Amino acid sequence: MPNIKGDDGALKTILGNSKIIAVVGHSEKSSRASYQVAKFLQAVGYRKFGLKPRRFTTAFPDL
């Protein structure tokens, strides 16, 4: 995937074409930003998966 940092058009295209989002660092605590982001994405129609990297360090060492 190309580096899209600072490229709002590319980010908009990716999000517009995606229906499933993984939230890396997701928290079940409603006071945390990752919870709020996941909740918003779900509310606007995305299917979201919360990933907690500490639980997957063996399976996904690059996270």
Side-chain angles (χ1 to χ4, degrees):
M1 174 181 258
N3 182 355
I4 62 167
K5 185 176 182 180
D7 187 347
D8 290 344
L11 182 58
K12 189 173 185 176
T13 298
I14 291 168
L15 291 173
N17 292 328
S18 301
K19 300 298 176 208
I20 301 171
I21 302 286
V23 180
V24 178
H26 182 264
S27 175
E28 298 294 328
K29 296 179 181 177
S30 62
S31 62
R32 300 226 171 137
S34 62
Y35 176 92
Q36 296 298 326
V37 168
K39 184 177 177 181
F40 170 78
L41 290 170
Q42 193 169 20
V44 296
Y46 290 96
R47 184 173 176 195
K48 60 99 180 159
F49 289 93
L51 297 175
K52 297 180 182 183
R54 283 186 232 169
R55 290 189 178 179
F56 300 108
T57 54
T58 302
F60 304 103
D62 293 336
L63 288 180

